[in-house]
Amino acid sequence: IMAGYGQVTLQHNIEANLKLEEALASKGLKVVELYSEWCGTCKSVVPTFKRIRLEKEDEAALTFLTVNSDKCDFLEVSKDHKGKTEPLFLLYRNGQLKAKIEGANTPSLSAQIVSFTPANADMDDLEENPIYLSKQERERVAKGEAAKDSKAGKKKK
C-alpha cells in the first residue's frame, strides 16, 4: 500500500466499547460500519466514502468508523448483527441515530451521508448529544463517589 503525502485515514477501526462511545459522543456525522469478523469490512463502499470525504472541508464533520460486531457491543444493535454476512451502516449525528442501512447500498448510503453531514462540526451542540451526556454523567458519578469516600474517611479521624 502506498501512503501518499498528507494522506488521512479514511476509516477508523474501533475495537473497544469506550473508543466507540468516545467517537459517538463527539460532534459531526459518524458513519459506523458494523461487520462480522469472518467476512471483514465492506470494500465496495470505500470509493464512495473517499469521494464524499474529499468534498468536505471540515474533517470533524464526517468520520467513518468500522466496528467488529464480535468484539464491540456498545451499541445494542451490534448484538443482533453478530454472524451476519452483510454489513450494517449506522449514521449517527451528534450522538443520535439518524439512519440504518443494511448491506452495501451505495446510492442510499451516499444520499444519506450527504444529507446528514453538517457543513462543519461546530453546528452540533454536545449538550444535545445523549451519548455525550450519559458519558459525562457516568464520569461525574465516578468522581463524586471517589470524593464522597475521601470526605467520609476524613470525618472518622
Side-chain angles (χ1 to χ4, degrees):
I1 299 172
M2 274 181 47
Y5 177 76
Q7 187 173 355
V8 293
T9 303
L10 180 67
Q11 292 172 299
H12 302 274
N13 189 41
I14 306 268
E15 291 193 357
N17 288 332
L18 285 175
K19 288 281 184 199
L20 182 57
E21 179 188 39
E22 197 175 289
L24 296 177
S26 62
K27 297 177 179 184
L29 184 73
K30 307 296 178 267
V31 178
V32 179
E33 175 188 347
L34 280 180
Y35 68 94
S36 294
E37 189 161 21
W38 61 273
C39 58
T41 59
C42 182
K43 306 288 183 242
S44 66
V45 296
V46 172
T48 300
F49 288 177
K50 277 185 181 170
R51 181 182 51 76
I52 296 170
R53 158 88 353 277
L54 289 171
E55 291 169 2
K56 300 293 168 195
E57 287 183 30
D58 180 8
E59 283 186 28
L62 176 61
T63 309
F64 296 100
L65 309 169
T66 56
V67 177
N68 180 333
S69 59
D70 299 316
K71 292 183 178 176
C72 198
D73 60 2
F74 175 73
L75 299 173
E76 195 62 36
V77 70
S78 66
K79 293 169 189 158
D80 301 333
H81 191 71
K82 285 182 181 175
K84 301 254 174 102
T85 54
E86 289 278 299
L88 177 63
F89 294 92
L90 305 169
L91 278 58
Y92 281 87
R93 167 95 186 263
N94 203 26
Q96 298 173 36
L97 182 63
K98 297 294 186 182
K100 188 174 165 178
I101 300 155
E102 293 193 36
N105 183 338
T106 309
S108 178
L109 263 170
S110 183
Q112 299 278 3
I113 291 168
V114 169
S115 80
F116 287 119
T117 302
N120 65 63
D122 288 332
M123 292 176 73
D124 290 340
D125 180 359
L126 287 177
E127 293 303 316
E128 294 171 7
N129 181 323
I131 295 172
Y132 172 81
L133 295 174
S134 83
K135 180 177 182 274
Q136 292 294 101
E137 183 59 27
R138 192 182 69 246
E139 289 168 359
R140 265 196 297 277
V141 167
K143 287 176 190 169
E145 287 173 0
K148 285 177 191 169
D149 291 345
S150 65
K151 286 178 188 170
K154 287 178 183 172
K155 287 179 184 174
K156 289 177 185 173
K157 287 182 182 175

